[in-house]
Amino acid sequence: MKSVADIAACAAQRRTPRTRADALRNRERIVTAAREMFVEFGPDVPLDEVARRAGVGNATLYRNFPDRSALIHEVVLAVTSRTIERAQEAVAAEPDPFAALSRFVHAAAGERIGALCPMLSGGFDSTHPELLTERRRLEEAVEGLVERAMSAGRLRTDIAVGDVLVALSQLTRPLPGIACPDIDRFTHRHLQLFLDGLENPARSELPGSAATLEDLRSGR
């Protein structure tokens, strides 16, 4: 027969996984809500509005993220990680290298990767090791897509991976205050125009020089 202590210990073990699962779900809901609201209204949206959309109390939000910078850090990390997954999925789903690149570009738009730009300024620590690691993984994934398409003769040779990343950032960056579902049709339409311009053979001569990853990192 179990003692009172044994029964209490079993009850505690049953509660702990459930508590941890609930806490994890709350954290994920906060990050999802923050991502949506940062895209719609910019990174300065009131955090109590983020909590309200996530369906949690302010105390729960601040218990997970003590300040705005911590929440932005997690949102940037989540968007970057999900975008890497979209690149991996594109490679697995599309045997044609240019089709894989095209699939990734449209999928990255769905992740609102362009919305990261206004969040990477001010007091935000963009050199955090965790973020640098994910950024390198994303760069490597996109670089692989570009190199495969170029090696297959499907991508014009006067561009570089930086051109793809810059265009993707610019064309998927919504204007604050505009609901994203209303501009999706324009975003994907303009992305397709961009992708058509990347195909080989090139239809025109590009001004300037190709944008490399080194150019983006140095801010040139």
Side-chain angles (χ1 to χ4, degrees), residues 124-173:
F124 179 73
D125 182 12
S126 60
T127 62
H128 189 284
E130 194 174 26
L131 293 174
L132 288 178
T133 297
E134 288 302 282
R135 189 180 75 179
R136 290 191 201 98
R137 290 183 61 223
L138 177 58
E139 290 173 348
E140 289 170 0
V142 180
E143 197 166 29
L145 286 165
V146 168
E147 288 176 352
R148 280 190 290 273
M150 199 171 288
S151 296
R154 299 278 282 110
L155 186 67
R156 59 190 299 165
T157 57
D158 56 349
I159 65 103
V161 64
D163 292 306
V164 175
L165 291 173
V166 168
L168 184 56
S169 173
Q170 291 175 336
L171 293 174
T172 61
R173 184 175 178 176

Side-chain angles (χ1 to χ4, degrees), residues 29-39 45 50 53 71 75:
R29 287 162 64 184
I30 293 168
V31 172
T32 298
R35 170 178 168 266
E36 293 172 354
M37 298 195 77
F38 288 162
V39 168
V45 64
V50 173
R53 180 173 293 196
L71 181 55
V75 170

Side-chain angles (χ1 to χ4, degrees), residues 15-214:
R15 283 196 303 270
T16 300
R18 184 164 57 250
T19 301
R20 288 175 180 169
D22 289 344
L24 181 59
R25 278 195 295 271
N26 283 339
R27 186 179 178 86
E28 290 173 348
R29 287 162 64 184
I30 293 168
V31 172
T32 298
R35 170 178 168 266
E36 293 172 354
M37 298 195 77
F38 288 162
V39 168
E40 293 176 22
F41 305 109
D44 296 324
V45 64
L47 296 188
D48 59 341
E49 293 295 330
V50 173
R52 185 176 293 109
R53 180 173 293 196
V56 302
N58 288 354
T60 299
L61 187 149
Y62 285 108
R63 186 162 54 248
N64 283 275
F65 304 103
D67 53 35
R68 184 180 301 274
S69 179
L71 181 55
I72 291 176
H73 172 97
E74 194 66 24
V75 170
V76 171
L77 192 63
V79 172
T80 305
S81 298
R82 284 168 59 93
T83 305
I84 294 168
E85 291 175 6
R86 301 295 86 81
Q88 295 168 339
E89 290 167 0
V91 172
E94 300 288 354
D96 177 82
F98 191 84
L101 177 62
S102 299
R103 184 188 183 102
F104 163 72
V105 166
H106 283 290
E111 295 299 335
R112 315 298 184 196
I113 189 172
L116 295 180
C117 295
M119 291 191 280
L120 302 179
S121 60
F124 179 73
D125 182 12
S126 60
T127 62
H128 189 284
E130 194 174 26
L131 293 174
L132 288 178
T133 297
E134 288 302 282
R135 189 180 75 179
R136 290 191 201 98
R137 290 183 61 223
L138 177 58
E139 290 173 348
E140 289 170 0
V142 180
E143 197 166 29
L145 286 165
V146 168
E147 288 176 352
R148 280 190 290 273
M150 199 171 288
S151 296
R154 299 278 282 110
L155 186 67
R156 59 190 299 165
T157 57
D158 56 349
I159 65 103
V161 64
D163 292 306
V164 175
L165 291 173
V166 168
L168 184 56
S169 173
Q170 291 175 336
L171 293 174
T172 61
R173 184 175 178 176
L175 295 173
I178 296 179
C180 288
D182 295 336
I183 65 167
D184 273 351
R185 59 194 179 100
F186 298 116
T187 298
H188 290 282
R189 179 182 176 85
H190 295 159
L191 283 173
Q192 192 56 52
L193 287 170
F194 166 68
L195 288 165
D196 288 348
L198 289 183
E199 280 199 270
N200 196 43
R203 295 169 177 79
S204 62
E205 183 176 345
L206 293 176
S209 58
T212 65
L213 290 176
E214 289 70 25

